[in-house]
Amino acid sequence: MKDLDALIPVLPPSEVALTLVLTGANSHAAHPLHTVVSFSTDHPTSEGNDGAALPSLEAIQSDCRRHRRKRRRRKVLRDRLNKMLRRQMRERKEYLYRKAQEERERATEARKKKVKTALETNAPLPTDLKKDALEIQKLLDTETPGIDPLATHEDDEYRWAGVEDPNILITTAHDPSPKLREFTKELRLVFPNSHRVNRGGFGSKQLVDSCRSNNITDLIVVHEHRGIPNGVDICHLPYGPTAYFSLYNVVTRHDIPDVGTMSEVFPHLIFHNFTSKLGGRVQSILKYLFPVPKESNQRVITFFNDDDFISFRHHTWKKGENKGDDPVLTEVGPRFEMQIYKILLGTLDQENIAETEWRLHNFVRTANKRKLLTNADDEENKEKD
């Protein structure tokens, strides 16, 4: 301690305290601290004999506490991220398992249907079903009439429909034109509980991840070509499906003469001519973008299918002046035509890896004669192609 006592008159008070702490005030060390320790801190410091800034003991302790808090925050964020990723992986595996199980059940139902048809028509059984005919007959005897035995993954995708209102995010492609911004603002008024955001430089994966973390149920991305809206992508979250539509003849509210005021109550929906399996699928994708309305709401949105082109019209209505008069419709816009060209079993960021449920094939000989959203026979022939 003699050497330490000799250093005390030379050192400033702050470094004396640091030296006592690092060497130990009650220690019997023969040699004191000979190494100069420098710290970079924003806290108040004292100056030594040479004019250099030296940290105080309180500043050092404050820095240590701050670094410990940062490490704890990083650990908490890392644990939350890992927990979210594990949950998403587990739910994705469960979804794929249910989908594979559905395929097996569909194959079983097809075999049961063949056996049932053969028994009813007194026709010979197919060769591939002769071995399992007795077991299939037992399954037919245990069926409950009036209940659909197939529970599809489509039901699971929209299992909260009608229970919770949809929460929609509307955005555009990169660098939108003023015309596209105007169109998305009108779409925000069309869909209740929707929000419009500027996309900026965000990619598809960043958009989908952000929507998932904020409990967004549907993501709508509008595209354009030379300032004219020409496409819309509707992505249902968290796992799909994603429907891709082409847009034609877009007319905004500003271009409609004598346009009425826009009502923001929940609208009633009219779907016309969606009779095939594909038509029902498209109808479900569009229908679940809207919450359940009240019977008294005087707002109606129409999706009218004509030759696989879906006309969108938006009206408000009121009762006639005299009793027995027809309701008076007032168009409030916008108006446009849509055509479905692809349905993806996945989200918007999985376009290159997800399974394609359905795709439009225009370049076949009978493409112009088919009505895929209306006739079930045309749809079956389309899948064979």
Side-chain angles (χ1 to χ4, degrees):
M1 296 296 295
K2 182 177 179 181
D3 296 335
L4 183 61
D5 296 337
L7 282 172
I8 289 177
V10 179
L11 297 176
S14 61
E15 193 164 347
V16 170
L18 177 61
T19 305
L20 290 174
V21 168
L22 295 178
T23 58
N26 299 325
S27 66
H28 299 285
H31 301 284
L33 179 68
H34 294 292
T35 304
V36 178
V37 182
S38 61
F39 293 86
S40 176
T41 176
D42 297 333
H43 294 278
T45 58
S46 58
E47 294 185 357
N49 295 337
D50 55 351
L54 298 173
S56 63
L57 179 61
E58 292 80 4
I60 297 170
Q61 293 175 345
S62 177
D63 284 340
C64 293
R65 287 192 297 269
R66 187 171 68 254
H67 288 305
R68 282 196 297 269
R69 286 194 297 268
K70 287 183 178 179
R71 285 195 298 269
R72 284 196 296 267
R73 284 197 296 267
R74 284 196 295 265
K75 185 177 183 302
V76 170
L77 293 176
R78 188 165 55 248
D79 292 342
R80 289 180 180 175
L81 178 61
N82 292 334
K83 185 177 180 180
M84 181 185 68
L85 293 176
R86 286 195 299 267
R87 186 185 70 248
Q88 290 182 359
M89 291 177 60
R90 182 179 67 253
E91 292 177 350
R92 183 64 181 173
K93 289 180 180 178
E94 292 175 355
Y95 170 75
L96 294 176
Y97 171 76
R98 288 193 300 269
K99 187 180 173 186
Q101 189 176 20
E102 174 196 336
E103 294 294 334
R104 292 193 295 267
E105 292 176 354
R106 184 180 288 109
T108 303
E109 286 299 319
R111 292 160 61 89
K112 289 164 62 177
K113 186 177 180 181
K114 290 181 180 179
V115 172
K116 186 176 180 180
T117 304
L119 293 176
E120 290 176 351
T121 59
N122 200 18
L125 289 171
T127 306
D128 57 334
L129 297 178
K130 289 182 178 180
K131 292 183 179 180
D132 303 328
L134 293 177
E135 295 181 1
I136 295 175
Q137 175 66 29
K138 293 179 182 178
L139 293 176
L140 288 173
D141 294 338
T142 58
E143 277 189 352
T144 303
I147 297 179
D148 187 6
L150 289 179
T152 65
H153 64 278
E154 299 174 12
D155 300 329
D156 187 65
E157 292 164 356
Y158 297 100
R159 62 186 181 275
W160 298 116
V163 180
E164 296 180 355
D165 291 341
N167 191 15
I168 302 174
L169 180 70
I170 302 175
T171 187
T172 64
H174 298 288
D175 299 326
S177 65
K179 187 74 173 178
L180 187 63
R181 290 196 187 97
E182 177 185 327
F183 182 60
T184 54
K185 289 179 182 179
E186 296 184 3
L187 285 182
R188 188 196 66 79
L189 298 176
V190 169
F191 297 103
N193 300 331
S194 62
H195 315 274
R196 187 191 69 87
V197 297
N198 295 324
R199 181 166 180 175
F202 287 100
S204 299
K205 182 172 178 54
Q206 292 174 305
L207 276 176
V208 172
D209 291 342
S210 178
C211 290
R212 282 183 180 142
S213 61
N214 289 279
N215 296 324
I216 298 295
T217 60
D218 295 276
L219 172 64
I220 298 178
V221 181
V222 189
H223 303 274
E224 67 177 343
H225 178 67
R226 294 184 177 180
I228 300 175
N230 69 336
V232 59
D233 306 336
I234 301 175
C235 175
H236 182 68
L237 298 171
Y239 303 119
T242 301
Y244 297 84
F245 293 89
S246 298
L247 294 182
Y248 305 96
N249 305 325
V250 177
V251 180
T252 59
R253 282 172 46 82
H254 295 77
D255 300 328
I256 300 177
D258 300 328
V259 66
T261 57
M262 173 75 79
S263 173
E264 295 192 32
V265 298
F266 295 169
H268 295 277
L269 303 178
I270 298 176
F271 288 91
H272 177 74
N273 219 10
F274 293 84
T275 55
S276 67
K277 182 180 178 182
L278 177 62
R281 179 65 158 157
V282 174
Q283 177 178 336
S284 297
I285 293 173
L286 297 174
K287 176 175 65 176
Y288 293 129
L289 293 174
F290 299 89
V292 179
K294 296 180 180 179
E295 293 184 1
S296 59
N297 291 354
Q298 297 182 346
R299 180 187 179 194
V300 60
I301 290 179
T302 306
F303 294 92
F304 187 94
N305 173 39
D306 182 19
D307 199 14
D308 292 341
F309 285 88
I310 304 170
S311 297
F312 175 90
R313 297 295 184 270
H314 185 196
H315 296 85
T316 58
W317 64 274
K318 60 181 180 179
K319 296 181 180 180
E321 297 181 357
N322 301 322
K323 187 176 181 180
D325 292 347
D326 293 334
V328 179
L329 289 177
T330 304
E331 185 176 5
V332 294
R335 73 164 80 122
F336 51 85
E337 274 69 47
M338 309 166 62
Q339 184 184 26
I340 181 74
Y341 68 88
K342 185 168 65 172
I343 300 177
L344 199 69
L345 287 178
T347 52
L348 197 63
D349 58 327
Q350 300 172 345
E351 184 175 3
N352 298 325
I353 60 175
E355 180 183 352
T356 300
E357 179 180 348
W358 180 86
R359 183 191 296 271
L360 177 65
H361 297 280
N362 282 328
F363 302 103
V364 292
R365 192 176 302 175
T366 59
N368 294 330
K369 301 178 182 179
R370 293 176 176 172
K371 296 181 180 179
L372 300 173
L373 300 181
T374 306
N375 298 333
D377 296 336
D378 290 343
E379 183 186 355
E380 292 177 1
N381 296 331
K382 178 81 170 184
E383 292 177 355
K384 292 179 182 179
D385 294 340

